[in-house]
Amino acid sequence: MEASAASPPAVAVTAAAAAAEDCCVKVAVHIRPLIGDEKVQGCEDCVTVVPGKPQVQIGAHSFTFDHVYGSTGTPPSAMFEECVAPLVDGLFQGYNATVLAYGQTGSGKTYTMGTNLKDGYQTGIIPQVMNALFSRIETLKHQTEFQLQVSFIEILKEEVRDLLDPTSSSKADSPSGNTGKVTVPGKPPIQIRESSNGVITLAGSTEVSVSTLKEMAACLEQGSLSRATGSTNMNNQSSRSHAIFTITLEQMRKLNPVVSGDGNPIETMNEDYLCAKLHLVDLAGSERAKRTGSDGLRFKEGVHINKGLLALGNVISALGDEKKRKEGVHVPYRDSKLTRLLQV
Ligand SMILES: Nc1ncnc2c1ncn2[C@@H]1O[C@H](COP(=O)(O)OP(=O)(O)OP(=O)(O)O)[C@@H](O)[C@H]1O
């Protein structure tokens, strides 16, 4: 959703899960408070939360969501438990899921996802996912063997970049006017491949095996620092790319262990293997060139960003319409790198 320039913009967190829920796409809005510059400029809140309803009002228009957080809505601290924790549970049952932060530039997507190490870091969604994941693993580790892999990539102007590539370096300012990752010359570009069983893989991107919370947090930190940012009129540290932090959880569950007289397992009769992915996506801001004051390179970036977001919108519409899904309607995953990658 979009709000007017002088308003506290909103972030929609969309979760798409294959879990057997009533609906496979849910949308929550996170309203942020006015920040420094906006207060100085005398901006005023123009988003009102309708009491007792997951509904917001902007002027004469009303918008209804699955949840509304922030402002006079539900406290943002409830967002993780209500929207994301069930997806982490689903991961342990082998369900893939995606959490997307969508909104206009400066609306608080990076803050909400926790990919900004400066502020939202502890309360952001990704750090909370990591905490929940490892505390669950801790309770299950006696009966299940776990393997965790992390990848962190960004899509900038339809090009996939590896944010965890140990051979590339972060540079303060690139010729494109972005801060971000500088890839080693001659390195083949990352390619999206689909295996014969429909699994999407990224050829050439780094997958880091992690076994502790600290190791996973280090990946998030390293990738966040490498992300391409640039300044726009609406956010002086605007993320110019879609960033996708992917956690792959593999589990080998030991079933029916044969137990000896003293209670120790002596033989495993059967093993149950599960593998699932959770994509946590901080999308580039949807924007209008006029408002962001973008021209030249920034404008071209904006065109790519908006094209990717349009393709994503079309995929979500196709998936969110239960009737169409049952009729087997075509889901246009191939229209952009972003949707292709999130196909799972
Ligand atoms: N809930 C919040 N509470 C307080 N400050 C916030 C909140 N959400 C965002 N902010 C602040 O608002 C500013 C813009 O937020 P952020 O960079 O997360 O926006 P964004 O939507 O990711 O923007 P872009 O698309 O341009 O990257 C930052 O200074 C951030 O600290």
Side-chain angles (χ1 to χ4, degrees):
M1 71 170 286
E2 291 215 355
S4 79
S7 72
V11 167
V13 177
T14 308
E21 287 213 22
D22 37 330
C23 174
C24 72
V25 179
K26 290 200 169 175
V27 183
V29 69
H30 183 196
I31 305 167
R32 72 155 166 78
L34 291 173
I35 53 169
D37 278 357
E38 293 162 346
K39 285 187 193 154
V40 172
Q41 289 163 18
C43 298
E44 283 179 18
D45 278 349
C46 69
V47 178
T48 321
V49 182
V50 178
K53 286 189 184 169
Q55 197 176 65
V56 298
Q57 218 153 8
I58 301 174
H61 301 282
S62 297
F63 302 91
T64 305
F65 300 90
D66 292 300
H67 302 274
V68 174
Y69 299 101
S71 185
T72 55
T74 312
S77 55
M79 191 186 332
F80 176 77
E81 274 310 317
E82 292 177 354
C83 299
V84 187
L87 305 182
V88 177
D89 285 348
L91 200 60
F92 285 87
Q93 291 156 36
Y95 290 114
N96 299 316
T98 299
V99 180
L100 300 150
Y102 168 85
Q104 77 175 30
T105 181
S107 56
K109 300 176 295 297
T110 303
Y111 184 100
T112 302
M113 293 308 286
T115 37
N116 181 348
L117 302 171
K118 207 170 65 245
D119 38 26
Y121 186 49
Q122 285 312 319
T123 50
I125 284 174
I126 303 180
Q128 291 187 76
V129 164
M130 298 192 310
N131 284 332
L133 198 62
F134 280 97
S135 65
R136 184 77 180 266
I137 287 177
E138 191 55 36
T139 60
L140 295 173
K141 67 181 183 191
H142 301 295
Q143 70 219 53
T144 308
E145 201 179 292
F146 293 99
Q147 276 185 4
L148 278 166
Q149 258 116 39
V150 169
S151 71
F152 200 0
I153 57 108
E154 68 176 345
I155 303 175
L156 182 69
K157 290 187 269 173
E158 279 301 275
E159 194 187 299
V160 182
R161 299 172 170 211
D162 185 357
L163 295 174
L164 298 179
D165 182 356
T167 62
S168 68
S169 59
S170 297
K171 205 178 161 193
D173 267 306
S174 76
S176 66
N178 286 320
T179 57
K181 203 89 181 155
V182 178
T183 310
V184 170
K187 199 171 186 271
I190 295 170
Q191 285 184 346
I192 303 172
R193 300 227 173 103
E194 185 170 352
S195 65
S196 53
N197 56 358
V199 176
I200 302 291
T201 53
L202 272 178
S205 86
T206 310
E207 285 244 24
V208 182
S209 283
V210 292
S211 48
T212 62
L213 177 58
K214 215 171 152 197
E215 285 170 1
M216 196 180 271
C219 292
L220 178 64
E221 185 172 337
Q222 184 194 338
S224 299
L225 290 172
S226 305
R227 199 169 167 201
T229 60
S231 188
T232 69
N233 281 355
M234 292 176 74
N235 189 0
N236 57 14
Q237 251 228 319
S238 175
S239 315
R240 309 303 297 156
S241 62
H242 307 301
I244 308 178
F245 187 79
T246 304
I247 300 171
T248 307
L249 177 72
E250 285 180 273
Q251 321 175 52
M252 193 77 89
R253 218 176 298 170
K254 294 173 170 50
L255 303 173
N256 307 326
V258 176
V259 178
S260 68
D262 58 6
N264 289 323
I266 48 172
E267 194 191 335
T268 302
M269 299 279 285
N270 208 344
E271 284 186 332
D272 190 8
Y273 173 80
L274 285 177
C275 179
K277 278 183 193 209
L278 179 61
H279 292 300
L280 299 151
V281 188
D282 176 9
L283 293 167
S286 63
E287 56 188 55
R288 297 205 177 130
K290 238 194 239 165
R291 253 187 220 167
T292 48
S294 52
D295 49 23
L297 282 164
R298 229 13 117 249
F299 177 76
K300 274 192 197 148
E301 274 169 13
V303 171
H304 278 287
I305 291 169
N306 289 337
K307 262 168 115 177
L309 292 174
L310 175 67
L312 179 66
N314 291 338
V315 165
I316 292 177
S317 296
L319 291 175
D321 188 327
E322 208 184 329
K323 191 165 163 262
K324 281 191 188 161
R325 234 186 31 243
K326 281 187 182 148
E327 283 166 5
V329 78
H330 170 67
V331 182
Y333 287 115
R334 286 172 181 265
D335 286 358
S336 74
K337 291 229 163 104
L338 177 67
T339 45
R340 190 92 178 91
L341 251 173
L342 297 179
Q343 192 177 341
V344 183

